C-alpha cells in the first residue's frame, strides 16, 4: 500500500468539492491501492474513490486512463435518459490541471472517481438473485460498449487472457523454482500439468473479438443496497478487446462458490448449480441479443477455463515469490490456487449438466 501521506498529497490534486475531511484504505482489490476520501461540501459531505494505479501490473498507466476516459464517456452518453444515471457508471473526477489523472513526484499515477453511494461490493454471492443481478450488469456493460467508436481500445495488459501463454509462464516458474517452493505445491503442479489441454480451446474456436471487461469478479460490480439491483460495474483498468466468454467465465469463477477465494477449508468450495443457472439467465437477458451460437456453446466451459487460468496465475505467482498479487499471509497465493483447482474439479463433475442447461436456455 502506498504511504497515506502520498495519498493525502494526491487527494489535494483533484477537483473535489472541498477540503478533505478523511481518507482511509478501502476495498479488497488485489492490484491497486484504493482509498475512500470524504470531503466537505455544502449540505452533506461528498465521497470519492482515490486510486494509485499499480505500475508493476499496468506498464502504461496513461494508456489505462485513456481507455477509461473513452469508456466512461461512452457509458455516460448511453445512460443519458436513464433515471439515477450518476450511480450507473463510474465518473472520473478531473485533477486540478484538467487531466483525468495526476502524476506525483515518484511517477505514480493517481485517479479519482465519484463514490457510488448506497451500493456495495461483496466478496461472495449469497443468493441466486445476486448472481442474476451481477451477470445482467456485466452483460449490459458489454452491450453498452458494443457501440464504442473506433479506434480499438489499447491492450492495457497484452495477452491478459491468453491461457496458453499463462501456462508457459507457469512452466517457466516451475522450472526456475526461484524460491524453492515447488516442493510445497506438488499436487497443484500435477493438477495444472494434467489440464494443459484445455488452455487453448477458446482461442482456437474463432470467436469474435468484442469490448470486454476482463475482470468480472463478483466484487467488481456494485449492488444497490435497497433493491439489490446490479447497479454499477467498476474496476475498469482491464476493459479492452477480448472474448465475452472470459467475462462470463470469471463470473462463474467468482459467483458460484460460497467460499472465499482464499478459503483454506476446501470442503466449502463447490460450484452451486442454482447460481450458475442464475448467471446464465442474467447474462442472456442483457447480452442474449448479440451472442453468436459459437459463444453460447462455451458458457459452461468458460467457467472451467477461467477458473483454471486464474488458478495457474496464483500458482505461478506463489512459485515466483508473490510479485504480482497482493498477499496478506504466507502461502496466500497457494491457498488461492487451491480453491481455484477445487472449483475446476467441481465444475468438471457437473459440466455435462451445466452444458445441457446452458444449451436449453441459450437456444
Ligand atoms: P482493484 O483493481 O484493486 O480490485 P477496484 O477498482 O476494484 O480495485 O476497487 C476496490 C474496491 O473499492 C471495490 O471492490 C469496491 O468495494 C470499492 N470501490 C471502487 N470504486 C468504487 C466506487 N466508485 N464507488 C464505491 N465503491 C468503490
Ligand atoms: C485481480 O484487481 P482485482 O482484484 O479485481 C486480477 C484479476 C484476477 C483477480 C483474482 C489486473 O483482480 O485478473 O482474476 O485478481 N486483476 C489483474 O482474484 O490482474
Ligand atoms: Mg477490483
Amino acid at each position: 500500500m502506498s504511504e497515506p501521506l502520498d495519498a493525502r498529497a494526491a487527494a489535494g490534486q483533484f477537483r473535489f468539492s472541498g477540503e478533505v475531511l478523511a481518507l482511509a484504505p478501502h476495498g479488497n482489490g488485489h492490484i491497486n491501492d484504493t482509498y475512500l476520501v470524504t470531503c466537505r461540501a455544502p449540505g452533506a459531505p461528498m465521497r470519492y474513490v482515490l486510486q494509485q494505479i499499480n505500475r508493476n501490473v499496468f506498464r502504461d498507466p496513461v494508456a489505462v486512463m485513456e481507455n477509461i476516459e473513452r469508456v466512461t464517456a461512452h457509458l455516460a452518453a448511453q445512460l443519458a435518459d436513464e433515471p439515477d444515471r450518476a450511480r450507473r457508471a463510474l465518473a472520473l473526477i478531473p485533477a486540478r490541471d484538467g487531466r483525468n489523472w495526476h502524476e506525483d513526484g515518484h511517477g505514480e499515477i493517481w485517479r479519482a472517481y465519484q463514490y457510488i453511494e448506497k451500493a456495495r461490493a461483496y466478496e461472495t454471492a449469497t443468493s441466486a438473485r445476486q448472481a442474476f443481478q451481477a451477470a445482467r450488469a456485466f452483460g449490459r456493460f458489454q452491450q453498452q460498449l458494443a457501440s464504442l467508436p473506433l479506434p480499438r481500445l489499447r491492450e492495457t495488459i497484452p495477452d491478459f487472457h491468453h491461457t496458453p501463454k499463462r501456462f508457459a509462464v507457469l512452466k517457466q516458474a516451475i522450472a526456475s523454482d526461484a524460491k524453492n517452493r515447488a516442493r510445497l505445491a506438488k499436487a497443484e503442479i500435477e493438477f495444472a500439468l494434467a489440464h494443459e489441454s484445455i488452455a487453448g480451446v477458446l482461442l482456437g474456436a474463432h470467436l469474435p473479438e468484442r469490448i470486454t471487461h476482463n475482470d468480472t469478479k463478483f466484487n467488481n460490480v456494485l449492488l444497490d443496497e435497497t433493491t439489490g439491483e446490479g447497479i454499477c460495474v467498476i474496476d475498469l483498468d482491464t476493459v479492452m478487446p477480448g472474448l465475452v466468454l472470459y467475462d462470463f467465465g470469471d463470473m462463474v469463477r467468482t459467483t458460484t462458490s460460497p467460499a472465499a477465494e482464499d478459503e483454506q477449508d476446501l470442503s466449502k468450495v463447490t460450484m452451486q448449480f442454482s447460481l450458475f443457472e442464475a448467471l446464465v439467465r442474467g447474462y442472456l437477458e442483457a447480452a442474449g441479443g448479440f451472442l453468436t451460437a459459437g459463444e453460447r456453446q462455451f458458457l459452461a466451459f468458460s467457467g472451467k477455463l477461467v477458473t483454471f487460468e486464474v488458478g495457474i496465475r496464483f500458482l505461478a505467482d506463489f512459485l515466483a515469490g508473490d510479485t504480482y498479487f497482493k498477499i496478506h499471509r504466507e502461502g496466500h497465493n497457494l491457498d488461492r490456487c487451491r480453491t481455484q483447482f477445487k472449483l475446476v474439479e467441481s465444475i468438471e463433475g457437473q459440466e455435462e449438466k451445466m452444458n445441457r442447461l446452458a444449451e436449453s436456455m441459450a437456444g
Side-chain angles (χ1 to χ4, degrees), residues 28-32 57-58 157 160-161 166 214-215 217 219-220 235 237-238 250 253-254 261 306 309-310 313-314 324-325 336 340:
N28 284 318
H30 293 340
I31 304 295
N32 294 315
V57 167
F58 297 100
I157 303 180
F160 190 57
H161 279 294
R166 297 286 189 185
N214 296 303
D215 189 4
K217 255 165 110 158
N219 72 5
N220 282 332
D235 205 344
D237 298 321
T238 53
D250 208 27
R253 177 182 85 80
T254 59
E261 186 177 69
V306 174
E309 180 188 280
V310 176
R313 290 175 62 197
F314 285 142
Y324 187 95
F325 296 105
R336 291 168 174 155
Q340 303 308 292

Side-chain angles (χ1 to χ4, degrees), residues 282-353:
Y283 183 57
L284 290 178
E285 183 170 310
F290 62 79
L291 295 181
T292 63
E295 288 169 324
R296 288 159 198 265
Q297 189 191 329
F298 289 104
L299 288 170
F301 176 81
S302 72
K304 178 169 78 171
L305 182 70
V306 174
T307 308
F308 179 65
E309 180 188 280
V310 176
I312 64 177
R313 290 175 62 197
F314 285 142
L315 181 55
D317 201 32
F318 170 73
L319 295 173
D322 309 306
T323 63
Y324 187 95
F325 296 105
K326 287 183 184 168
I327 56 160
H328 307 291
R329 61 176 185 249
E330 209 176 305
H332 209 165
N333 276 316
L334 182 58
D335 289 342
R336 291 168 174 155
C337 160
R338 288 182 171 145
T339 61
Q340 303 308 292
F341 288 175
K342 178 76 197 298
L343 189 56
V344 169
E345 279 178 341
S346 178
I347 295 174
E348 279 172 344
Q350 305 176 71
E351 203 169 348
E352 267 178 41
K353 200 171 142 202

Side-chain angles (χ1 to χ4, degrees), residues 34-223:
T34 302
Y35 300 86
L36 177 60
V37 185
T38 309
C39 294
R40 194 183 297 285
M46 285 278 279
R47 302 205 282 180
Y48 304 93
V49 166
L50 175 69
Q51 289 181 313
Q52 181 191 311
I53 302 179
N54 183 328
R55 281 196 293 158
N56 180 41
V57 167
F58 297 100
R59 297 304 165 114
D60 187 351
V62 170
V64 171
M65 291 313 299
E66 286 170 356
N67 276 359
I68 292 179
E69 281 179 332
R70 291 178 56 203
V71 164
T72 52
H74 189 73
L75 293 173
Q78 299 270 301
L79 290 165
D81 299 326
E82 291 228 14
D84 209 12
R85 59 181 173 277
R87 295 175 66 238
R88 291 182 181 276
L90 287 181
L92 288 163
I93 306 292
R96 295 205 182 277
D97 63 7
R99 287 187 308 184
N100 280 317
W101 67 89
H102 163 67
E103 181 170 349
D104 72 13
H106 313 292
E108 300 296 345
I109 303 288
W110 297 79
R111 57 136 181 267
Y113 290 116
Q114 197 81 49
Y115 184 78
I116 310 290
E117 297 288 351
K118 299 197 177 78
R120 258 193 71 184
Y122 300 83
E123 296 306 308
T124 52
T126 47
S127 69
R129 179 151 194 273
Q130 285 189 333
F132 172 87
Q133 288 293 335
R136 196 175 64 160
F138 283 124
R140 194 181 288 154
F141 181 85
Q142 291 176 346
Q143 182 263 324
Q144 287 164 332
L145 289 178
S147 53
L148 184 80
L150 290 171
R152 194 169 177 265
L153 288 173
R154 306 273 293 275
E155 285 188 56
T156 52
I157 303 180
D159 298 319
F160 190 57
H161 279 294
H162 195 299
T163 321
K165 287 193 183 171
R166 297 286 189 185
F167 203 85
V169 170
L170 172 65
K171 279 187 167 165
Q172 184 61 51
I174 297 169
S176 50
D177 195 15
K179 300 283 171 183
N180 190 26
R181 288 180 174 176
R183 65 202 161 84
L184 305 171
K186 285 199 183 114
E188 291 71 27
I189 292 172
E190 202 179 306
F191 183 93
L193 296 176
H195 282 77
E196 181 170 5
S197 63
I198 67 171
V201 170
L202 289 185
L203 289 173
H206 306 291
L207 300 169
E209 175 182 294
R210 303 185 191 275
I211 296 172
T212 49
H213 183 283
N214 296 303
D215 189 4
T216 56
K217 255 165 110 158
F218 187 59
N219 72 5
N220 282 332
V221 60
L222 302 179
L223 305 185

